[in-house]
Amino acid sequence: MIDSVTDIALAAPAAKAVSKRLSPSARRQRRAAWLFLAPACIMVALFVLYPILKSISLSFYNWDGMTDKTFVGLANYVELFHAPTFYTALKNNLLWLLLFLLAPPMGLAIALYLNQAVAGIRLIKSLFFAPFVLSGVVVGLIFSWFYDPTFGLLALILGHGIPVLGDAHYVTFGIVFAALWPQTAYCMILYLTGLTGLNAEQIEAARMEGARGWTLLWHVVLPQLRPTTFMAMVVTIIGALRSFDLISVMSSGGPFESSTVLAYYMYDQAIKYYRYGYSAAIAVVLFAIMLVYIAWHLRRLLRNEH
């Protein structure tokens, strides 16, 4: 009896090892999967990981793009954290972030409205989708004309002109309002896609239990849209932190650098003043802010799912 038990105990690891061995077809499938993934991995390494590492390395140097690099250590970061423009840009980025968070709920509201079988709904969908396909430069020019205090539509509506883009108190709010237009359309598209994948049986069961309106949305629909909400929040946060094109077109960071953000400040230092090391330090700080926030949000999402 003892010998047979011993034989079984010794045979168990061997059987487990045999079971772990992949069959020829499984090995071929794994090899094919890696071959399909290889181009994407190479692209990510070349165009994402390498620039990130290169920017971090460059931030420790003083370089104008033409002469030899000079190692300065943390001098670029010390100067950055003592620059008043950096804190103005950081404050504007936080303002962008807070106001941009209006895009996901507005996109969800529009998606819920468009997710109905109504006559002419395709035409309405295309009208709401239009801002997403417009270039940021086009959106900036449209709203620059809209805000013009002499002949702009806003002046015609109010009866008098307001220099939105020329006033340090209004300029950031005006640009963010312009940016919310296409961002809301993008969130709407994400939620429309998410609504097509809802579990109809759960919704029908909730209705049979008497759930309607806000109760149905909060307890049944939104939990199923959690991955879509996460994606909408991530792209909205990234869009708020890397905001550049509308600022460049509408205000160029002015008046008196009052509307500048970290992305535009980085561009300004690199292109106008040829301070590539200092610009790389700004990029590293901006990347760190994005990374910390997205990692925190991702951890929160995964914790809720478990």
Side-chain angles (χ1 to χ4, degrees):
M1 181 67 178
I2 296 175
D3 293 339
S4 61
V5 173
T6 305
D7 292 340
I8 294 173
L10 292 174
K16 190 179 291 185
V18 171
S19 65
K20 285 185 178 179
R21 293 175 185 171
L22 296 175
S23 64
S25 61
R27 283 199 296 269
R28 284 195 297 270
Q29 290 177 1
R30 178 172 291 186
R31 193 181 304 116
W34 279 111
L35 287 175
F36 279 113
L37 287 172
C41 293
I42 293 172
M43 297 281 283
V44 169
L46 286 176
F47 299 109
V48 178
L49 298 179
Y50 176 74
I52 290 172
L53 297 176
K54 192 67 176 177
S55 297
I56 295 173
S57 173
L58 184 59
S59 67
F60 298 109
Y61 289 85
N62 184 19
W63 188 45
D64 59 3
M66 294 172 284
T67 59
D68 294 333
K69 299 177 185 176
T70 304
F71 182 78
V72 294
L74 297 175
N76 287 325
Y77 292 97
V78 172
E79 181 183 352
L80 179 64
F81 292 131
H82 285 84
T85 306
F86 168 72
Y87 292 100
T88 301
L90 188 61
K91 181 193 72 174
N92 287 334
N93 266 120
L94 292 175
L95 186 59
W96 271 78
L97 184 59
L98 289 174
L99 296 178
F100 240 45
L101 291 178
L102 295 173
M106 290 193 299
L108 174 61
I110 297 173
L112 290 171
Y113 166 70
L114 296 179
N115 193 43
Q116 302 179 64
V118 182
I121 198 67
R122 290 186 177 180
L123 176 61
I124 299 174
K125 282 183 180 180
S126 64
L127 293 176
F128 278 105
F129 178 75
F132 175 66
V133 299
L134 292 178
S135 167
V137 176
V138 174
V139 173
L141 290 175
I142 290 174
F143 275 87
S144 294
W145 296 332
F146 176 78
Y147 292 138
D148 192 285
T150 55
F151 59 83
L153 184 60
L154 182 62
L156 294 176
I157 294 173
L158 298 178
H160 59 88
I162 299 177
V164 175
L165 301 181
D167 193 314
H169 297 93
Y170 301 141
V171 60
T172 299
F173 293 97
I175 298 173
V176 174
F177 179 76
L180 275 173
W181 187 39
Q183 187 64 33
T184 301
Y186 184 47
C187 292
M188 176 204 73
I189 296 166
L190 291 177
Y191 278 114
L192 275 175
T193 305
L195 288 171
T196 59
L198 293 180
N199 190 325
E201 294 180 357
Q202 290 186 14
I203 295 176
E204 189 62 30
R207 285 176 175 167
M208 292 177 64
E209 293 293 330
R212 294 288 186 276
W214 177 255
T215 303
L216 181 66
L217 175 66
W218 185 259
H219 294 285
V220 181
V221 176
L222 287 182
Q224 296 186 58
L225 290 176
R226 189 176 288 119
T228 305
T229 301
F230 170 72
M231 183 58 64
M233 293 290 290
V234 168
V235 297
T236 299
I237 292 163
I238 293 176
L241 292 177
R242 66 178 181 84
S243 51
F244 169 80
D245 48 358
L246 289 180
I247 295 171
S248 180
V249 172
M250 298 178 70
S251 69
S252 297
F256 309 111
E257 298 184 332
S258 60
S259 64
T260 192
V261 293
L262 290 176
Y264 188 83
Y265 186 37
M266 173 182 62
Y267 158 83
D268 198 47
Q269 293 296 313
I271 303 302
K272 290 185 180 179
Y273 302 107
Y274 302 100
R275 303 189 63 194
Y276 292 103
Y278 186 71
S279 176
I282 302 172
V284 171
V285 171
L286 182 58
F287 173 73
I289 295 172
M290 287 187 187
L291 192 63
V292 168
Y293 190 88
I294 293 173
W296 172 79
H297 203 74
L298 181 60
R299 182 183 176 187
R300 184 180 175 187
L301 176 69
L302 295 175
R303 183 183 299 171
N304 290 336
E305 287 186 351
H306 290 298

